[in-house]
Amino acid sequence: LIYDDTSSSSSDDEDEDDDDLGCLLRPNNSSSSLATAKNTPLLSRSIVHLDVDAFYCQCEEMSNPDLATKPFAVGQKHIIVTCNYIARSRGVSKLMLRTAAMKACPELIIIEGSDLEPYRRQARKIYNAFRTAVAALPGGTANFSKKGGMDEMYADVSAAVNSFLSSSKHATSNDVDMFVYGDDSSTRISIAEDQSGATTDLNDAASSFSCLSRDPDARTCWGNSVERDECRNRLHDVASKFAAMLRLAVKKETGFRACAGVSTSPMLSKLASDLRKPDSL
């Protein structure tokens, strides 16, 4: 589990929801909270980020299911906006020139995606399903949801976690299939930036640039080892269960597959959702 105190609170111009992303950044003041980190409210937060896999492509598959078994991409003007995972396995990537994509994969089907309205309609369905599922969690409307873009959304499920822990009389455990960053030191994880292609190795970054090793004051900001362990258990044993429920609810209601990331901030949960694409937690 990586801790970081930086988070983005900028709004999305395409967001039609009135919720403020700031609701995901405010300390959790629920009286039912079992967190002992009274002076470190960030440790008591549980944030879920949901990212729809190859969103434009899944939209096209809804209209034409035969595309699911073929390499195809969605293009706008002279570039590839996105492509399905079959095409990616054959050398096609986002923001490729159409000519380069066809050279890499001659059998590639390119669908024109300049008209965004069909994608916006599907995006509204997905977010409505997500928001409904968030409100149905323990704690109800005390859980916050926020749309981050057409194909991504956030939820602060801290209230659900607190409610579950307050009512649970037994030790929590989790059999949800998920990847936990840091559990396996042999796993190498890299994140690539779409437009520049720049990559970073999280394993090296975590060991070399830990906030706890950089800044002695961070040890106070992020609590003691007991508090950090408690935070990890909250995320692993409870919040991840709710994240799995949200993924399942969206898929059942809309048919769309998505990845989910769970952490203590919107930024870290977004990073987590990108670690093991597609269709993962």
Side-chain angles (χ1 to χ4, degrees):
L1 181 64
I2 309 172
Y3 297 107
D4 190 86
D5 58 356
T6 55
S7 305
S8 172
S9 59
S10 59
S11 60
D12 190 304
D13 291 338
E14 295 184 357
D15 187 9
E16 299 175 357
D17 188 52
D18 293 332
D19 294 339
D20 180 6
L21 186 57
C23 69
L24 304 183
L25 305 177
R26 289 192 288 268
N28 174 26
N29 295 318
S30 172
S31 59
S32 62
S33 173
L34 297 184
T36 60
K38 296 181 179 179
N39 296 318
T40 55
L42 294 179
L43 291 180
S44 67
R45 296 186 314 177
S46 301
I47 309 297
V48 175
H49 177 260
L50 193 80
D51 187 3
V52 182
D53 299 324
F55 170 62
Y56 284 15
C57 291
Q58 285 200 71
C59 289
E60 297 298 339
E61 289 176 12
M62 294 289 179
S63 302
N64 183 2
D66 290 341
L67 289 171
T69 59
K70 302 174 182 178
F72 79 95
V74 176
Q76 292 176 358
K77 297 184 178 179
H78 59 286
I79 64 170
I80 299 299
V81 176
T82 189
C83 56
N84 68 353
Y85 288 93
I86 298 175
R88 296 182 194 191
S89 70
R90 300 184 186 183
V92 183
S93 61
K94 295 179 182 179
L95 303 183
M96 231 182 191
L97 292 174
R98 291 190 187 218
T99 52
M102 291 303 299
K103 185 176 181 179
C105 181
E107 64 272 29
L108 181 70
I109 300 170
I110 301 180
I111 299 172
E112 180 56 45
S114 297
D115 181 8
L116 297 181
E117 186 52 36
Y119 306 122
R120 289 192 176 112
R121 284 197 297 268
Q122 294 286 16
R124 285 192 285 268
K125 292 179 183 178
I126 295 170
Y127 181 62
N128 286 337
F130 178 77
R131 183 167 53 181
T132 299
V134 171
L137 294 175
T141 56
N143 300 296
F144 300 101
S145 60
K146 173 65 182 178
K147 188 175 180 182
M150 275 204 289
D151 63 346
E152 61 176 333
M153 53 218 72
Y154 297 87
D156 185 335
V157 298
S158 303
V161 173
N162 293 335
S163 178
F164 178 87
L165 292 175
S166 297
S167 61
S168 177
K169 297 180 181 180
H170 305 285
T172 58
S173 61
N174 196 343
D175 56 0
V176 174
D177 182 21
M178 62 179 167
F179 169 73
V180 180
Y181 174 75
D183 270 8
D184 183 357
S185 60
S186 66
T187 302
R188 309 301 296 181
I189 297 295
S190 295
I191 290 181
E193 202 279 325
D194 280 343
Q195 296 188 21
S196 68
T199 61
T200 183
D201 189 309
L202 291 187
N203 302 70
D204 294 339
S207 61
S208 302
F209 300 104
S210 167
C211 67
L212 296 182
S213 62
R214 286 200 316 267
D215 182 3
D217 291 337
R219 296 183 181 277
T220 301
C221 296
W222 290 101
N224 56 43
S225 61
V226 173
E227 292 169 335
R228 291 194 292 273
D229 286 343
E230 182 186 75
C231 174
R232 180 187 176 91
N233 292 337
R234 288 165 59 85
L235 296 177
H236 182 278
D237 296 340
V238 186
S240 60
K241 287 185 178 181
F242 293 136
M245 291 169 61
L246 295 177
R247 286 180 63 227
L248 181 61
V250 167
K251 187 174 183 179
K252 183 177 180 181
E253 184 68 23
T254 69
F256 280 84
R257 302 176 301 278
C259 290
V262 183
S263 193
T264 57
S265 75
M267 175 182 287
L268 287 179
S269 61
K270 180 178 174 69
L271 287 173
S273 68
D274 194 49
L275 292 179
R276 287 294 177 94
K277 283 182 171 289
D279 198 21
S280 64
L281 170 61

